[in-house]
Amino acid sequence: MRLRDNAAGMTMLAPTKIRKAGLGLALGLFVTVPYFLIEHYLLFTPAPVPLTWIDRTIPFFPLAIWWYVSLYLLLPLPLLLVRDSVDLRQMAFGFGWIVLASQVVFVFWPTAIATQISSSQVTDPLLRIVLAADTNGNAIPSLHASLAVYCALCCTRLVKNWKFRFALWGWVVLILASTLLTKRHAFVDICAGAALGWGAFVALFRERREESLECEALQATLRAREDMSSGFEGEVARLATQDWRKRALDFALFLAFGVCGVWLTVTGWTNSQSFLLAAGVPVTALALNAFVLLMHDGMHSSLFPNRRWNRMGSVLLGASFLMSYSAYRVMHTRHHRFLGDARDPDDYQNYLPRPRALLWSLHFTRLTVGPVLYLALIPVLALKYGTGEDRRHILAEYLFLLTAYSVLWRLVPGHLLLVAWLAPLLIVAIFTAIRGFTQHGITDASDPYIASRTILPNPLVGFFLLHENYHLEHHLFPEVPSYHLPRLHRLIWLRLPRVVSGRSYLGFLARFLRATPRLDETPIGLESPAEKST
């Protein structure tokens, strides 16, 4: 490694030629070996790629095969141009991610292009070699298109000379055109591949706006935290200590719920026993809802003491409900840091402060389709705000989800997945919408004491919510694991000068509906535990 200064004036490690060469060889093998193995040893019958009028209109031009194979000269170009190890790591990751994501699709969802030319039309020797080595499979997404676009974007980022860029993109256009002119690809898979390459580049290299992590709202929360722990610092520190036995009990109990629920659901469905089905779906939903809440502990590093185990466990938990742990963590950390600030992603007043009718409509949107929208929006926003490492983790986790769900879909009949997994997830979505809205809806985000709502429901409800109902306590002391929140609540509740609280989630919703005709934004459930205690 050699030291060099980048454009920002920071001293970076310049990668050596040997490292670049080794990385180029590894990536080259990673592309070619699995590619040919997959297309020659199919696990599933390929689906035909539909041909469009564009494919039928474009003529066969065999000499375009020379443009086609010139891709292999473009692929190492970013390695030759890159000058610091940070860019090299990010670019190599993106390249490998595109290849691996494509290979997962090739294995589990294979596609093939119908033969569009006869053997008598193949006169060019190079085209004969390509046709002998390569089949019409591994079509969608086109690796030719995805890697050409991705590598060109990487080169464009590294070289600012407009003449170089113009020549480079002219070359890319010829490569993409050659895939159609030689009838090696169809327009549909070229579009899919180009979108994949562009998407990977944007996800990894989108400019991250610098911002101050400090804000008055955070300072107010820290002051409130200090006031509430004053004289009880030792007890609060002990509550932040993790207890592996309690965590093991959480996992054992809710995994058992999940297994029991799935068994009841599958048995009820296969034997047409509706009472078993009616019991199995909600039991599974309770388990999945607990997995959501356990991953929430993981976002605060309180699932497991070990950082690696905490992340691995959280990723697996997130896979049970279609969510990337790292994407959720980026946004959730932002919510905690900027609660009461204009940058809080969970405060709808930051999006539509006026008129109040539109803000109120967002409340109802959150209660109805909010969780579904979050599944789509969280990764987009997390990639916007995340660091380079965050972005790599997010892409890696969604690739893991793609692989896991592909295996699951291929091995388990679709109707069983629908009733045993997706139906319970709909119930979880309802739970999440109500719980999330109750925690911060119709509060005063500018005041750390009444920016979050604590609900004091039936103890059984609190148990199944993993005590997440103590949400004000959680925001003041996010490092405290969920199983210690009841003790934290008892420790600080009577010291709180003001809170927003309630006895039940349905009770809160009823009060919200009563406030709706007036669009009344007065915090619901405002009270003073400290005054009551005196």
Side-chain angles (χ1 to χ4, degrees):
M1 290 287 186
R2 302 184 306 277
L3 293 176
R4 64 177 296 273
D5 291 336
N6 68 0
M10 298 174 62
T11 302
M12 309 296 294
L13 288 174
T16 63
K17 293 180 181 179
I18 294 177
R19 185 186 179 196
K20 287 184 178 183
L23 188 57
L25 177 62
L27 290 174
L29 293 173
F30 186 55
V31 174
T32 53
V33 174
Y35 178 89
F36 288 109
L37 286 175
I38 291 169
E39 73 172 357
H40 286 95
Y41 298 95
L42 294 171
L43 297 180
F44 306 100
T45 304
V49 176
L51 298 179
T52 65
W53 64 270
I54 296 176
D55 301 298
R56 300 186 189 94
T57 302
I58 293 178
F60 174 56
F61 183 55
L63 290 179
I65 193 64
W66 293 92
W67 302 336
Y68 183 85
V69 299
S70 72
L71 170 72
Y72 303 105
L73 298 177
L74 172 62
L75 297 186
L77 195 55
L79 285 177
L80 298 176
L81 296 174
V82 70
R83 291 292 180 267
D84 70 64
S85 53
V86 173
D87 274 346
L88 177 64
R89 183 188 304 116
Q90 204 81 337
M91 288 178 181
F93 176 88
F95 188 100
W97 185 87
I98 290 171
V99 172
L100 190 53
S102 300
Q103 289 169 352
V104 170
V105 175
F106 295 158
V107 169
F108 294 102
W109 313 104
T111 51
I113 302 167
T115 302
Q116 302 178 63
I117 55 175
S118 63
S119 57
S120 61
Q121 294 176 277
V122 182
T123 56
D124 188 273
L126 182 58
L127 181 56
R128 286 201 188 104
I129 294 173
V130 172
L131 292 176
D134 199 4
T135 70
N136 288 348
N138 290 354
I140 297 178
S142 164
L143 271 177
H144 243 74
S146 60
L147 294 180
V149 169
Y150 178 77
C151 289
L153 287 169
C154 289
C155 293
T156 302
R157 184 174 183 273
L158 295 169
V159 180
K160 307 303 181 184
N161 183 284
W162 72 268
K163 294 180 181 178
F164 171 85
R165 291 181 169 185
F166 184 80
L168 174 68
W169 284 102
W171 184 9
V172 171
V173 169
L174 288 177
I175 291 173
L176 297 181
S178 72
T179 63
L180 303 177
L181 290 167
T182 58
K183 304 302 177 182
R184 299 300 304 137
H185 284 279
F187 183 72
V188 171
D189 57 82
I190 291 299
C191 291
L196 178 63
W198 174 83
F201 178 84
V202 171
L204 289 169
F205 292 102
R206 179 179 181 177
E207 186 176 355
R208 184 170 177 254
R209 187 177 64 183
E210 294 297 326
E211 60 180 354
S212 172
L213 296 180
E214 298 299 325
C215 64
E216 177 53 35
L218 176 61
Q219 295 306 315
T221 300
L222 294 176
R223 287 193 295 270
R225 169 192 171 98
E226 184 177 358
D227 289 344
M228 289 302 100
S229 61
S230 178
F232 299 96
E233 291 86 354
E235 293 178 63
V236 171
R238 283 191 291 274
L239 291 178
T241 303
Q242 297 185 41
D243 187 332
W244 68 267
R245 292 163 296 187
K246 292 182 179 179
R247 182 60 75 213
L249 182 61
D250 284 341
F251 271 98
L253 182 63
F254 287 105
L255 282 173
F257 262 83
V259 171
C260 180
V262 170
W263 179 83
L264 288 172
T265 302
V266 172
T267 303
W269 180 269
T270 54
N271 295 298
S272 300
Q273 296 177 321
S274 57
F275 69 95
L276 290 180
L277 192 63
V281 170
V283 169
T284 305
L286 287 175
L288 290 172
N289 188 64
F291 295 162
V292 174
L293 298 168
L294 285 168
M295 192 186 80
H296 174 258
D297 265 14
M299 287 187 282
H300 295 284
S301 300
S302 57
L303 184 66
F304 297 117
N306 181 276
R307 182 180 177 185
R308 179 175 297 179
W309 281 102
N310 187 83
R311 180 168 183 267
M312 289 175 59
S314 299
V315 169
L316 292 175
L317 288 166
S320 68
F321 55 93
L322 313 175
M323 179 57 69
S324 157
Y325 155 70
S326 293
Y328 203 169
R329 182 180 55 79
V330 168
M331 299 309 296
H332 190 70
T333 301
R334 193 173 180 83
H335 161 62
H336 269 263
R337 177 172 290 275
F338 296 126
L339 180 64
D341 186 80
R343 291 169 288 179
D344 178 10
D346 282 4
D347 188 348
Y348 286 5
Q349 295 198 47
N350 293 333
Y351 305 108
L352 284 175
R354 291 289 183 271
R356 283 191 295 170
L358 286 179
L359 175 62
W360 224 261
S361 69
L362 287 182
H363 293 327
F364 282 97
T365 300
R366 182 176 190 170
L367 278 170
T368 51
V369 296
V372 177
L373 293 177
Y374 289 165
L375 285 177
L377 292 176
I378 282 177
V380 175
L381 294 173
L383 287 169
K384 175 182 178 181
Y385 294 114
T387 64
E389 183 180 31
D390 291 330
R391 294 174 180 189
R392 292 195 300 274
H393 285 165
I394 291 168
L395 289 185
E397 287 166 25
Y398 276 107
L399 179 53
F400 166 70
L401 296 183
L402 171 65
T403 307
Y405 298 156
S406 295
V407 172
L408 196 63
W409 192 264
R410 285 297 188 179
L411 295 180
V412 181
H415 61 277
L416 290 182
L417 284 178
L418 180 65
V419 296
W421 182 37
L422 297 181
L425 279 180
L426 289 177
I427 299 176
V428 174
I430 297 172
F431 289 166
T432 302
I434 295 174
R435 177 174 52 80
F437 181 55
T438 303
Q439 288 168 349
H440 296 288
I442 322 300
T443 59
D444 183 353
S446 64
D447 185 336
Y449 290 110
I450 57 174
S452 309
R453 179 176 286 104
T454 283
I455 297 292
L456 305 173
N458 182 289
L460 186 63
V461 174
F463 168 77
F464 280 111
L465 290 177
L466 272 68
H467 311 297
E468 183 65 18
N469 50 293
Y470 298 116
H471 205 62
L472 170 59
E473 295 85 342
H474 165 67
H475 264 270
L476 292 176
F477 301 95
E479 73 277 16
V480 174
S482 56
Y483 44 76
H484 284 159
L485 285 176
R487 290 171 58 190
L488 176 64
H489 168 77
R490 292 191 293 271
L491 180 66
I492 70 170
W493 184 251
L494 296 181
R495 306 186 70 199
L496 291 164
R498 57 198 169 276
V499 300
V500 280
S501 183
R503 303 298 301 179
S504 75
Y505 289 89
L506 293 180
F508 165 79
L509 289 180
R511 297 182 67 176
F512 164 70
L513 292 175
R514 286 197 296 269
T516 296
R518 306 185 307 276
L519 303 181
D520 185 0
E521 295 178 348
T522 303
I524 294 175
L526 184 62
E527 59 177 288
S528 175
E531 286 186 7
K532 288 184 178 181
S533 68
T534 59

